[in-house]
Amino acid sequence: MQDRHHETLAQLCADARETALLESIESLLGWDERTYLPPAAGAYRAEQITYLSGWIHRRRTAPQIGEWLDELRESPLAADLHSDTGATIRELDREYRRLVKLPSSFVEELTRATVLGQQCWTEARQKNDFAGFQPFLERIFSLKREQAEMWGYPSEPYDALLDDFEPGAETATVAQTLDGLRSGLAPLVAEIAECNRQAPCDLLTRHYPRAAQQAFGDEAAAAIGFDFSRGRLDITHHPFCSSLGPDDCRITTRYDEQHFSSAFFGTLHEAGHGMYDQGLRTEQFGLPPGTYISLGIHESQSRLWENLVGRSAEFWQHFFPIAQQHFPAALAGERWESFWFAVNAVRPSLIRVEADEATYNLHIIIRFQLERAVLSGELAVADLPQAWNDRYRQYLGIEPPSDVDGVLQDIHWSAGLVGYFPTYSLGNVYAAQFFRQAEKELGDLPDQLKRGDFAPLKQWLNRNIHQRGRCYRAVELVQQVTGQPLSAEPMIEGLRNKLLPLYGLA
Ligand code: ZN
């Protein structure tokens, strides 16, 4: 019996690896499309990708997989949930069941609604016309409700959608964590907004030549541990990270000569994502033990390097003299302390993607509360703009002058990505919990960062997070690594400790 189970498992894994091979080819086509594809080649590329994704979908929903899983699900091989074998069976089973619960007619309908939704969203933004977008958004939310019903959920439809991005997460727990985050951050942001000290932000908007930005960004990405022999950094308008194979991780950034931050912190952010992928076990590529846990955990790795390392005093004590060599005209005679203050400036703003480390999460909390209310039927899509503006006034003390700077700013809902937003804030929360634990275990982490020695932290992340693959759920991993349940407290404390002295408030 055991022998037969082992044989079945081997077949299941070989099949999953073959699907992963196809997916990696699809990713390569997608990466090329977003970086180097000539404009006229778009239509044929879309055909190539559609062809491959149809093929992949048929493979992933093949009845044979269901038969293998029926045999393995209750077998002794599946008993230890956190072992490589147990996690492989559990996760492939989860993926298979989610896919086969959606009839292909529904998937097509949702695809059509979101393609139209995105087109209409683009137009609505140009014309500041929420009313024109409203019927499309109503349709999308109604389909997402249907999708949640098909998948099933423990207590509310939002659970099912959240679970797609953050497996195992429950809405009520996430709501509680984000509430804690809000009650810690809102007063901090208000205190800073009222104080009379200002960050010297003009330092960041001087002339930063593109070639020098590129050289400095590459140097920093390599220094923190992004492996350029197993990855590349290219240029795109919307930065991203995509892995095309076990030893091939592609990240991108964009350069703006009048702004230092977007390229540099974007590079650190994507390098953090890339280092997670590069830290996964290569021999498990294509199988759950060689796969990232969730979007939130992925985001924790990018935010940890971007914010907790990249916006720390120690980081700039090390890197500021190097930055001065790269940008002599902009930075000669300046002090690292001023530069460090500038990259930590806090100011309530309307646009999420331009928000600072402290206010960012308030933008997310607003989106989470609104999409949850729409999904449950408590809030009508028609009332979204007003509810949006009310919350911005309440949480950030500002109100959008138009829907373009308000409810129309993000692509997510038009693309059917409902339940996605909280993963950004969960990433921040996880990152702070992990970082606090790394500080405890590594002892002199601040000294290491000050010396530019990032290897101990990177190896700690490799060991504790990356190499575990998908053998744990996100909250289990947090508990396992830190000995604590999910908590916003380390993040709030970390920000208070950094920002209050900078603003002369402590
Ligand atoms: Zn990210």
Side-chain angles (χ1 to χ4, degrees), residues 188-202:
L188 174 67
V189 169
E191 219 181 318
I192 291 172
E194 281 158 23
C195 90
N196 47 24
R197 197 184 281 190
Q198 295 245 325
C201 291
D202 70 290

Side-chain angles (χ1 to χ4, degrees), residues 269-270 273 298-299 302-303 306 424:
H269 181 98
E270 300 305 332
H273 278 305
H298 224 306
E299 195 66 7
S302 58
R303 303 281 172 144
E306 178 194 355
Y424 293 121

Side-chain angles (χ1 to χ4, degrees), residues 4 9 30 153 159 244 253 294 299 324 340 362 394 401 481:
R4 201 189 71 176
L9 179 68
Y153 46 82
D159 290 331
L244 313 181
T253 191
S294 68
E299 195 66 7
Q324 285 181 306
W340 173 52
L362 299 172
Q394 198 187 338
V481 172

Side-chain angles (χ1 to χ4, degrees), residues 30 56 159 174 274 278 294 345 355 357 378 399 414 419 436 440 446 479 499 501 506:
I56 291 165
D159 290 331
V174 171
Q278 290 184 333
S294 68
E357 198 184 345
E378 274 166 57
E399 201 175 322
S414 73
R436 179 189 275 186
K440 272 189 208 155
Q479 182 73 48
L499 295 172

